[in-house]
Amino acid sequence: MRLPGIRPLTSRIRLIPRLRGLRVRLVVAFTLVAVAGTLTSGALTFREARTGVLQQSQDTVVKQFRERVSDVATGLRLPAGQQDLEWFTQEVARAGRSEGWRVLTTYRDLRATSSPDDRFTELTPELRRAASTKSATVFQRVPTRNTSVLVVGLPVTYAAPQGRTARHSGLAVFLIVSQSDEEAYVNALVSAVQRATFPALGLAVLLALLAARGVLRPVRELRRAARSMAEGRFDTRLSVHGSDELADLSRTFNETATALDHSVAELRRMEARARHFASDVSHELRTPLAAMAAVTDVLDEDAGRLDPDTATAVRLISQETLKLARLVDDLMEISRFDAGAAELHQDDIDLAESLRRTLAARGWTETVETELPPPDALRFRADPRRLDVVVANLVANALRHGELPVRVRLYEGSGGRAVIEVTDSGPGIPDDVLPHVFDRFYKSDTARTRTEGSGLGLAITAENVQLHGGTVRAANRPEGGAVFTVEIPPPAQPAEPPPVSRDRGPEERT
């Protein structure tokens, strides 16, 4: 059964929002405490006041009734007749006529009432029996339809000598008096308590807001300071007031921020020194490497006239010199990216023609399959030199670590993006290596201390793509082999920086 206008409890529970935020929790906690305190004090006050009012009224009625019965009983002779009993009843009722006393008198088989038609339905058998058997006054509060009434039973006893129990005369007098005035007073008290509850709750909410403001102000300042530090402003500090727990927290934050500021400054100095060191070393190595490369070129020309062992050594020196020169060039390029000195020199180029030139310049035209659009079908603004480095590194990586056929595909993707895909037919990239293929010097096999490349090719590729505002990602094809996808947006719609890790480490696929 559902009462009209009442929503089910389960649906009400779903409407209650989750209490989020320290301010809301503080206000709710203060309000709940205030509600509990107000209701408890109100309930106790009401109970004590109600008990006091009813008890005082009851004692007054019983005392007045007992005195009136004692006064009138002195003029009644026992055994009494019906007329004597009626006279007695009317005399007792006359004393409380203004209070609306209703009196019933019983004596043996006789019965007299103050009102002829009054049936005294409020008089319970238990009270009647108690008044007939006991010598003390008995009373009971009986609820009725509109209010409650006080029913008093008073047995009339004979006086007894000292030390003996009074004898029951057989005469019992019952009084029924309404307590509507007392109930009205109690109801007025309930209304007063209810009216006082709302100001108390309002005061509690106000105090909760003030307390929450005092507690949350340092917390908000701490949040702003933490956000400022997260944005790189390590000189952020908090003002400390007082000596409570929040002040201790602010001091601890300032100490932590100071230590972090020193650590970051030291790390930046170390990084700058390392970057300058790599750049300086690379610059210093370029001149001797150029001289060594010129000497190895001469030696390579004369290697055919040397004995086999010497010719092998000469060719080995020539190869290692070329690798060293390539590594130095890559290190210088990486140092430019780290220093923020890398710049784009964009031009309006035909991407398909640029890819053909890259493959032709390295002799890969016959080795690498291509799927390119017609000439001038896909023109783009890009840096030709950096785009050449991107494609060359990806194709070289596919030829070195994959298997033929190696395919280069160029097409226009969504949003006008230029998409370059380089695929191979090799074993693919292990799943544990995929997240690190663009890391510097990453090696999937720690036992291999040397690779054919410099270990920086894919890292440089990622940096060049990022400089264009594009993305590069590596994956495995379902049919086998690896696929590297480069997406470059048009200049008017720059893309988000690619998710490329800058961690230094050995690289497997370079």
Side-chain angles (χ1 to χ4, degrees):
M1 179 179 180
R2 182 183 301 175
L3 296 177
I6 303 298
R7 303 183 64 179
L9 180 60
T10 54
S11 63
R12 285 193 170 191
I13 293 177
R14 296 190 188 98
L15 295 178
I16 299 177
R18 293 184 178 180
L19 300 181
R20 295 181 179 178
L22 186 58
R23 178 190 294 274
V24 178
R25 290 199 293 268
L26 284 176
V27 172
V28 170
F30 271 87
T31 304
L32 291 179
V33 171
V35 169
T38 304
L39 293 180
T40 302
S41 60
L44 293 176
T45 303
F46 167 74
R47 188 184 67 176
E48 294 298 326
R50 182 176 183 274
T51 302
V53 169
L54 295 179
Q55 185 68 38
Q56 182 180 3
S57 173
Q58 172 184 293
D59 293 345
T60 302
V61 170
V62 171
K63 180 180 179 181
Q64 185 179 1
F65 179 59
R66 185 185 294 114
E67 291 176 352
R68 182 60 179 173
V69 170
S70 298
D71 292 342
V72 178
T74 56
L76 178 67
R77 294 182 180 182
L78 298 177
Q82 180 65 35
Q83 290 182 352
D84 297 333
L85 203 62
E86 291 179 357
W87 169 83
F88 178 83
T89 303
Q90 294 298 330
E91 287 297 320
V92 172
R94 185 178 295 112
R97 184 170 298 171
S98 60
E99 288 84 6
W101 281 14
R102 297 158 53 200
V103 181
L104 168 67
T105 306
T106 61
Y107 179 71
R108 296 179 181 177
D109 295 334
L110 300 178
R111 182 177 184 271
T113 63
S114 58
S115 300
D117 298 331
D118 196 342
R119 303 182 61 181
F120 284 83
T121 55
E122 299 89 349
L123 184 59
T124 61
E126 293 80 6
L127 186 64
R128 186 190 298 270
R129 187 166 46 252
S132 301
T133 57
K134 296 181 180 180
S135 58
T137 304
V138 294
F139 53 87
Q140 183 180 18
R141 191 177 295 111
V142 179
T144 60
R145 180 177 300 178
N146 298 323
T147 181
S148 63
V149 296
L150 178 64
V151 182
V152 183
L154 178 62
V156 179
T157 59
Y158 292 107
Q162 187 176 3
R164 296 187 180 182
T165 305
R167 293 183 298 109
H168 203 292
S169 65
L171 181 65
V173 187
F174 299 94
L175 170 66
I176 297 179
V177 60
S178 174
Q179 292 190 308
S180 57
D181 294 341
E182 289 78 5
E183 291 289 342
Y185 182 79
V186 171
N187 292 335
L189 182 62
V190 171
S191 299
V193 171
Q194 291 176 346
R195 287 193 299 270
T197 300
F198 294 102
L201 291 180
L203 180 61
V205 172
L206 178 60
L207 293 177
L209 291 174
L210 293 177
R213 180 180 180 183
V215 172
L216 293 179
R217 184 186 297 111
V219 175
R220 286 195 297 267
E221 293 177 357
L222 180 61
R223 180 184 61 185
R224 286 194 293 266
R227 184 177 299 169
S228 177
M229 291 190 63
E231 294 173 354
R233 295 188 288 271
F234 296 103
D235 57 344
T236 304
R237 298 295 183 270
L238 291 173
S239 57
V240 181
H241 304 286
S243 58
D244 56 3
E245 289 80 1
L246 293 175
D248 292 339
L249 179 60
S250 299
R251 292 190 189 93
T252 304
F253 177 86
N254 290 340
E255 295 171 358
T256 304
T258 300
L260 183 60
D261 191 15
H262 293 165
S263 300
V264 170
E266 182 62 24
L267 289 175
R268 286 175 175 172
R269 286 192 294 269
M270 294 174 60
E271 183 181 7
R273 287 196 298 266
R275 188 164 53 245
H276 286 301
F277 175 77
S279 178
D280 294 341
V281 169
S282 300
H283 278 288
E284 292 297 329
L285 288 177
R286 294 192 72 180
T287 300
L289 282 175
M292 293 174 60
V295 173
T296 54
D297 289 341
V298 175
L299 293 176
D300 283 341
E301 294 177 356
D302 296 337
R305 297 191 295 270
L306 301 175
D307 59 89
D309 293 338
T310 304
T312 301
V314 167
R315 294 189 180 94
L316 179 61
I317 292 174
S318 178
Q319 293 174 1
E320 295 300 323
T321 301
L322 291 176
K323 291 180 182 179
L324 184 58
R326 189 180 304 116
L327 175 60
V328 170
D329 291 339
D330 290 345
L331 284 174
M332 292 186 65
E333 187 71 8
I334 284 291
S335 65
R336 293 191 191 97
F337 286 116
D338 290 342
E343 296 180 354
L344 276 180
H345 300 283
Q346 292 182 320
D347 195 5
D348 188 9
I349 62 174
D350 182 358
L351 290 182
E353 182 61 25
S354 177
L355 266 60
R356 291 190 185 93
R357 290 176 182 175
T358 298
L359 298 178
R362 291 161 178 81
W364 293 337
T365 304
E366 302 297 331
T367 307
V368 178
E369 300 179 2
T370 58
E371 185 178 338
L372 305 177
D376 292 330
L378 187 58
R379 300 192 65 85
F380 232 70
R381 286 194 61 82
D383 188 326
R385 185 186 70 83
R386 296 189 182 278
L387 184 62
D388 176 80
V389 172
V390 169
V391 176
N393 284 343
L394 292 179
V395 173
N397 182 77
L399 294 173
R400 184 179 301 118
H401 298 285
E403 295 179 2
L404 296 177
V406 174
R407 181 178 291 105
V408 176
R409 181 186 177 204
L410 172 65
Y411 62 93
E412 183 177 356
S414 61
R417 292 170 173 260
V419 182
I420 303 173
E421 286 185 356
V422 178
T423 60
D424 63 63
S425 303
I429 307 173
D431 292 338
D432 58 334
V433 177
L434 271 176
H436 308 285
V437 292
F438 296 104
D439 295 348
R440 301 174 184 181
F441 298 109
Y442 177 77
K443 284 187 177 182
S444 62
D445 185 3
T446 56
R448 295 178 56 189
T449 58
R450 288 181 57 81
T451 62
E452 296 182 15
S454 65
L456 296 173
L458 291 182
I460 293 175
T461 296
E463 295 286 356
N464 280 310
V465 173
Q466 181 178 358
L467 200 61
H468 281 83
T471 59
V472 58
R473 58 183 180 273
N476 289 315
R477 297 192 302 162
E479 59 271 20
V483 55
F484 286 81
T485 305
V486 176
E487 294 187 6
I488 302 177
Q493 301 175 359
E496 294 293 332
V500 177
S501 174
R502 290 178 174 269
D503 295 339
R504 277 77 169 171
E507 178 187 0
E508 168 66 16
R509 297 177 60 87
T510 56

